[in-house]
Structures are given as C-alpha cells and as structure tokens.
Amino acid sequence: MDPSVSANLPDEYSSSTTIVPFDYPIPLLRGPVRAGPSDDPSFGPYVLAFRNHHSWAAAYKRCESKVIEQCEAGSRIGCAISASEICKPPWWRNFIGGNLPDLKEREMCEEREMEGCLVAAKEKCLGLAKEKCSLPFRDARIAIGEGMVMEKDGRKLVCLV
C-alpha cells in the first residue's frame, strides 16, 4: 500500500468529515389533543389543535403573507409582459416607412402601465390571500386548557382578523 494514502486515512475518517449536520426540526403548529364527545370517533381519539390564540394568529398571518408574496411575484411577471405588449409599436409601422420608435417614450409608457397593473394586482392578491387562508383557519381548533379543545373557535378569529 502506498504510504501517502495510509497517512491520509485518519483525516478521511475524522468526525468533522463524516458527520452530516441537520437543521433543527421545525416546531409543530398544532398538536394532538384528546377528541371531545362531539367529534367523530372513527377519526381516532385525538384531534389537532393550536396551542393558543396567539399561535393561531401567527400562523394565519404567516399564511396570508406567503400567499400575498407568491401572488405579487407572479403578478409582477404578468404585468411586465402586459406592459410590454401594450406599449410596443404597431407591427405595420415599418411597412409604411414610419420613423423609429422613441425608446424613452416606450419606457415611460411601460412604467405607467406596470404601475397601474401592480396596484390592481395588489388588491386582488389581498383578496386571494383572505380567501385561501380563511377557510382552513376558520375550521381550526384551539386548545384552551390541558386536554381541552375549543370547538372550531377559528370562525370568530377570522372575522376579527
């Protein structure tokens, strides 16, 4: 065996090179709580419930912000394409011997169109976020004590938010 290879063996098998670090697990949003008498027994003895109103509200706000963020990112792309289409010169201008289009004017046109489109999209994204997050969080359960579940308390909280 080559002596240079055997000299490197301890380094190759050291703990720093063989251990793979993992991220800490994300804490659960909801935890298991004993089912109440009104729950369907075929689903099992436990139901999932938020720990308290604060954890419910934080999860709801996070859901809304993620939906809004993704919606606005998609609308930015759509608005850019739409503004470019609206502000481009007509295809037939070159055939009639028209002068070259003013690029500064086109840039200003695209900025106006983009701004108007983004304002309209932002309002629609807010509505979409409320629509997508309100249904699952409205039917959520919130634990009110050790082993006790408040039945579908989310309806009142969604109205408040």
Side-chain angles (χ1 to χ4, degrees):
M1 184 170 193
D2 186 18
S4 64
V5 173
S6 62
N8 291 335
L9 279 179
D11 291 338
E12 290 179 18
Y13 296 112
S14 67
S15 63
S16 63
T17 59
T18 57
I19 293 178
V20 178
F22 290 99
D23 294 334
Y24 287 104
I26 299 171
L28 295 174
L29 287 175
R30 300 179 297 163
V33 177
R34 283 225 169 260
S38 63
D39 292 317
D40 187 2
S42 66
F43 290 135
Y46 295 97
V47 294
L48 291 175
F50 286 97
R51 289 189 276 304
N52 52 35
H53 289 84
H54 299 293
S55 64
W56 179 92
Y60 183 81
K61 288 292 184 188
R62 177 81 174 145
C63 174
E64 269 191 343
S65 69
K66 283 304 247 181
V67 171
I68 289 170
E69 178 185 321
Q70 292 174 358
C71 179
E72 287 179 350
S75 64
R76 258 186 248 107
I77 295 168
C79 287
I81 293 170
S82 175
S84 178
E85 283 291 317
I86 291 171
C87 296
K88 72 179 182 183
W91 62 270
W92 45 263
R93 180 177 283 175
N94 290 338
F95 292 124
I96 61 170
N99 54 353
L100 292 174
D102 184 17
L103 295 179
K104 189 70 173 167
E105 182 181 322
R106 181 174 178 179
E107 182 182 345
M108 290 174 22
C109 173
E110 285 181 0
E111 285 178 11
R112 282 192 311 272
E113 291 294 327
M114 184 87 168
E115 185 178 335
C117 181
L118 287 175
V119 167
K122 189 170 196 148
E123 292 173 14
K124 290 181 182 179
C125 287
L126 291 173
L128 177 72
K130 290 207 180 298
E131 177 187 327
K132 293 295 180 186
C133 295
S134 64
L135 183 64
F137 281 89
R138 184 186 68 208
D139 296 334
R141 297 166 188 251
I142 300 171
I144 56 172
E146 189 63 37
M148 299 175 64
V149 175
M150 186 176 291
E151 294 287 325
K152 297 185 180 173
D153 187 42
R155 291 182 193 274
K156 296 175 193 165
L157 294 174
V158 168
C159 294
L160 292 174
V161 172

